[in-house]
Amino acid sequence: MTTPSLSSFHLAGKKGLVLGLANEHSIAWGCARQAQAMGAEVVASCLNDKARPFVAPLTQAVGIDLQTCNIENAGELEALVAYTQAKLGRLDFVIHSLAWAPLQDLHGRVIDSSSVGFARAMEVSCHSFATLAKLCAPHMTDGGSMITMTYLGADEAVPHYGLMGPVKAALESLVRYMAVELGPQGIRVHAVSPGPIPTRAASGIEAFDELMQGNIQKSPLRRLVTLDEIANLSTFLCTDAASGMTGQTIYVDAGSHAVA
């Protein structure tokens, strides 16, 4: 019998791109920091120069290359991927942690949402992952992993989650189709579904404190998950140890998704 090896549970020699850093509480920051600690060379992005001061001290401290990228501005995502390819030479993993909706549409009823607001939320939070995959796949010559972030509101109607529920449902479906399309190239695609944590993006959701308290009471572990726990799952999916997995939505939410 072959003895299992721990050598695949690392990212040494891997090269990756992480999008969506906003501050020290960002899921993207947790993933970038963990990937770097596991041996990867990482390029990360924040939204713009206004966001840079909140992120640059973090990335500089661990040697992560920080760039800006607003995916709503024509050419910026293409420029980020081109820069990353030139800097790293190839890509082994990509982590997409971008989500946004206009507050007026997010805080109202879904049936009252504007078509413009719905379309912008879909572009930023969902379709940008497909665009990112199209740009990055040619540089993933040895296969690799593409990870995005979702939430239970994709599968259940969560109070106050509103417009983002249908958007995240579309994102999870996108993951499955991307897994089929990119699988022959050896590229694995996953959605990670964390429980609620106090990120900047989450602060836009109404009654978010109540949502977190409800998660604590409902979850089997009776607590929220941590940024490190989310990063641990995300970076594991980027390692060779997860080589047989693709096309899944994987929860890291203290078990709350399993409880009615």
Side-chain angles (χ1 to χ4, degrees), residues 17-260:
L17 173 62
V18 181
L19 291 86
L21 279 68
N23 56 34
E24 71 274 19
H25 304 297
S26 300
I27 290 173
W29 162 239
C31 292
R33 176 184 60 190
Q34 178 70 351
Q36 185 87 347
M38 293 173 68
E41 187 175 356
V42 177
V43 172
S45 77
C46 61
L47 179 62
N48 50 32
D49 287 335
K50 184 178 179 180
R52 185 183 285 274
F54 298 97
V55 182
L58 304 172
T59 56
Q60 289 171 358
V62 296
I64 291 174
D65 187 336
L66 179 66
Q67 300 295 311
T68 59
C69 179
N70 182 343
I71 62 129
E72 289 195 284
N73 292 339
E76 289 199 16
L77 185 56
E78 289 82 355
L80 174 65
V81 173
Y83 172 87
T84 303
Q85 166 62 17
K87 174 73 183 287
L88 303 182
R90 70 169 195 277
L91 280 168
D92 299 297
F93 64 90
V94 178
I95 298 177
H96 170 278
S97 185
L98 303 173
W100 179 86
L103 286 181
Q104 182 175 352
D105 295 288
L106 181 63
H107 290 169
R109 300 186 303 174
V110 174
I111 62 172
D112 294 327
S113 63
S114 68
S115 59
V116 172
F118 197 110
R120 288 186 69 189
M122 189 69 77
E123 176 59 35
V124 174
S125 310
C126 179
H127 189 260
S128 64
F129 188 45
T131 304
L132 181 65
K134 182 177 180 179
L135 294 170
C136 291
H139 307 302
M140 302 180 77
T141 52
D142 294 325
S145 298
M146 295 184 177
I147 311 296
T148 190
M149 300 297 158
T150 185
Y151 177 60
L152 182 63
D155 191 55
E156 299 180 3
V158 175
H160 305 294
Y161 198 59
L163 177 65
M164 289 305 299
V167 172
K168 290 294 189 181
L171 179 64
E172 291 185 12
S173 179
L174 178 66
V175 164
R176 293 187 288 272
Y177 280 89
M178 284 173 53
V180 171
E181 293 172 355
L182 297 174
Q185 191 179 325
I187 297 174
R188 297 171 281 118
V189 189
H190 290 291
V192 169
S193 185
I197 64 169
T199 64
R200 182 177 178 182
S203 67
I205 299 172
E206 286 187 314
F208 190 71
D209 288 343
E210 295 177 17
L211 182 63
M212 289 193 294
Q213 281 303 121
N215 193 86
I216 293 171
Q217 296 168 8
K218 176 184 177 182
S219 66
L221 296 182
R222 295 295 188 270
R223 63 174 178 85
L224 300 176
V225 292
T226 67
L227 187 62
D228 285 343
E229 288 172 325
I230 298 167
N232 287 342
L233 171 59
S234 302
T235 50
F236 162 72
L237 293 171
C238 296
T239 70
D240 292 340
S243 59
M245 302 167 62
T246 194
Q248 300 179 75
T249 294
I250 305 174
Y251 295 93
V252 52
D253 62 358
S256 62
H257 72 279
V259 181

